[in-house]
Structure formats: C-alpha cells, structure tokens
Amino acid sequence: MSSKLVIFDNDGVLVDSEPTAHRVMSGYLTELGYPTTLEESLHHFLGNAGRNVHQVIADRYGGSLPEDFTARCHERVFAAFREGVAAMPGAAEVLAELRLRGIPYCLASSSDHAWIDLTLDRAGLRDLLPPGAVFSAQDVGGVGKPAPDVFLHAAAARGVAVHDCLVVEDSPNGVRAARAAGMDVLGYTALTPEQQLVDAGATGLISRLPELLDHL
Ligand SMILES: [Mg+2]
C-alpha cells in the first residue's frame, strides 16, 4: 500500500482522551439518575462525540436529559483535560517519523477545535500538528463522523485525492466515515474490539500505532 497522505483521528488514536471523557460522562449520567459504568459509556458513545446520548437514555431508561447536557458535560471534560491528557503510546514517535520521512499527515476529528487544541496541547503533540494540519467537523458545518465530510475536507485542503489517503481510526463510526469518503482505513484496536472495526469496513488493523509504518 502506498499513501500520499495519512489522516489521523484524534481521540483514542493520537490522544488518550477517551477514558477521561467517558469517566466524566458516566459519572455525570449516574449523578442524573441513569447509572452508567465507564465501560457502558465507552460502548454506547465512543466515536459519537456525545451526540446520541439523548437517544440512548430515552431508549434505555425511557428518560430524558437536560437540554444542556452535552454542553455541561463538555465543561466537565475540559476541566479534567486541563489537569492533563496523555498521548497514545507511540503517537509522538510515529508523527516524528512521518515528518522525517517526508510523508504528509494531518488530523481529522468530529470534536471541535477547542477540544482538539486542548488535548494536543496537554498531550505535548502541538508542535507535530500545526493549525494547517488540524481539521474538525466544525469546519464542515458541524457534520461529524460517520459522515465522510471532515475526511473529504481534509483531503481537499491538502490537495490529495481520496484514493491516496490512508486513515487511522479507533471507532466504528470513524471507520465508516473513512470508507464513505472512499479512503483506505486502518482500524486501531486499542479501545474497540477488532471485529467491530472489520464489520465497519476497516481495510487493515493495527494494535499499536508504530505498526502503521509497515502499511506505508
Ligand atoms: Mg476516535
């Protein structure tokens, strides 16, 4: 496989933000009377950026959440991120290696720019991902994955054809978005069972980020 642009998801691929985000979210849901474990939160909401939480609570409990749940939850998650966010193992090394080899790369995320900036900053990845290499669903009218929009936008902005892009994604929705964009996608199995990524259409799998280098 030869690729001209590597596109990374952020949460759960470059930054280890998911355990923190879901610890906060499950705690908040439990506080509101909907007992939710960290594992349940990861299972239901990973890669959804909290967008379908109202639906899940309606389906599971026949209940409803405050209108501003997502905004309040984000405030709590941001406060936790300010305390620190780790990079995923090998993330800095892989980005540095791509830069060294002259292989272009960028980031495309459903999260908004404030979230991306804060996590990259705390994880120490900012220098490896300058603003021109960071794309958010915010840039495409807030349309997140599994819609292909943010990936298509990143490829167009970098002037690369979709079939010359290789995406790295950890969530089924992210894999679906990449496939819908017509891109090859490596499913990163750090947080999601391999089969779910295969079922979503992953064209390859990696269990550690440095394995990406074997696919270029
Ligand atoms: Mg992700």
Side-chain angles (χ1 to χ4, degrees):
M1 200 185 302
S2 79
S3 302
K4 290 179 180 150
L5 177 66
V6 182
I7 307 179
F8 292 92
D9 175 45
N10 187 42
D11 299 290
V13 172
L14 293 179
V15 300
D16 195 15
S17 52
E18 298 288 14
T20 299
H22 289 276
R23 175 174 52 74
V24 170
M25 186 158 169
S26 58
Y28 191 17
L29 287 171
T30 300
E31 202 180 297
L32 290 170
Y34 304 108
T36 307
T37 64
L38 171 63
E39 290 70 26
E40 288 168 334
S41 183
L42 284 164
H43 174 73
H44 287 294
F45 308 119
L46 182 76
N48 282 314
R51 284 184 182 82
N52 73 349
V53 60
H54 293 273
Q55 192 59 52
V56 170
I57 292 302
D59 293 347
R60 288 189 70 189
Y61 299 100
S64 64
L65 295 170
E67 277 298 309
D68 64 354
F69 174 81
T70 300
R72 292 267 169 270
C73 194
H74 272 210
E75 283 169 18
R76 292 176 177 219
V77 172
F78 269 56
F81 283 165
R82 283 189 197 96
E83 302 294 313
V85 180
M88 289 299 282
E93 293 77 6
V94 166
L95 294 179
E97 180 66 20
L98 292 177
R99 179 177 276 184
L100 193 68
R101 294 190 194 182
I103 298 171
Y105 63 83
C106 64
L107 176 163
S109 171
S110 287
S111 298
D112 61 27
H113 279 291
W115 175 299
I116 298 169
D117 287 344
L118 179 59
T119 55
L120 289 180
D121 183 65
R122 290 299 190 273
L125 298 175
R126 183 82 268 181
D127 292 346
L128 289 158
L129 284 152
V134 174
F135 303 95
S136 157
Q138 250 181 337
D139 305 333
V140 288
V143 181
K145 304 165 188 175
D149 303 46
V150 70
F151 286 130
L152 294 172
H153 172 63
R158 298 297 295 264
V160 176
V162 294
H163 58 262
D164 285 328
C165 296
L166 176 63
V167 173
V168 186
E169 264 292 350
D170 69 310
S171 74
N173 266 346
V175 169
R176 285 185 197 101
R179 298 296 288 148
M183 297 174 181
D184 284 336
V185 52
L186 295 174
Y188 178 28
T189 59
L191 284 172
T192 306
E194 187 172 301
Q195 193 58 44
Q196 285 185 32
L197 298 172
V198 170
D199 291 345
T203 48
L205 294 170
I206 56 173
S207 59
R208 298 170 47 255
L209 278 179
E211 292 168 21
L212 157 69
L213 301 170
D214 302 332
H215 289 266
L216 299 172

